[in-house]
Amino acid sequence: IEIWVFAGGYAAAHVWWNLGQVAPAPESWFDYAYYSAMVYTTVGFGDVLPEGAIRVLTMAEALSGLSLITWSASFTFLEMQRLWRY
């Protein structure tokens, strides 16, 4: 859900507020979702790069994604330890 929320934020920042863009320019909603998923999972950039003030939103999403993915992994590990005792 959070990936889609950030994708909407990128679209709004680009289309409505002119805060920058994702280059090359997105052709569809899927392009924003793709960029958001790459940032959220901290895979990194390569084919799509942020330009302008939209980079701040990119930083926030990367920190959020890193935090929530590691929290989810830690929580899952602790629950597995608790439930799967020998």
Side-chain angles (χ1 to χ4, degrees):
I1 293 172
E2 197 163 325
I3 290 172
W4 291 101
V5 169
F6 274 104
Y10 291 123
H14 174 88
V15 175
W16 294 334
W17 301 311
N18 293 324
L19 293 177
Q21 67 177 4
V22 177
E27 297 176 6
S28 69
W29 172 255
F30 178 76
D31 293 333
Y32 288 112
Y34 168 78
Y35 176 73
S36 181
M38 290 298 105
V39 172
Y40 189 84
T41 58
T42 63
V43 171
F45 308 123
D47 55 343
V48 183
L49 298 171
E51 295 177 349
I54 206 167
R55 292 178 294 175
V56 175
L57 183 58
T58 299
M59 290 185 323
E61 182 178 16
L63 289 172
S64 173
L66 180 63
S67 299
L68 289 175
I69 287 173
T70 55
W71 177 82
S72 298
S74 298
F75 178 76
T76 302
F77 176 75
L78 292 173
E79 284 300 306
M80 287 172 58
Q81 271 189 330
R82 187 176 66 86
L83 296 173
W84 292 0
R85 292 192 179 189
Y86 291 91

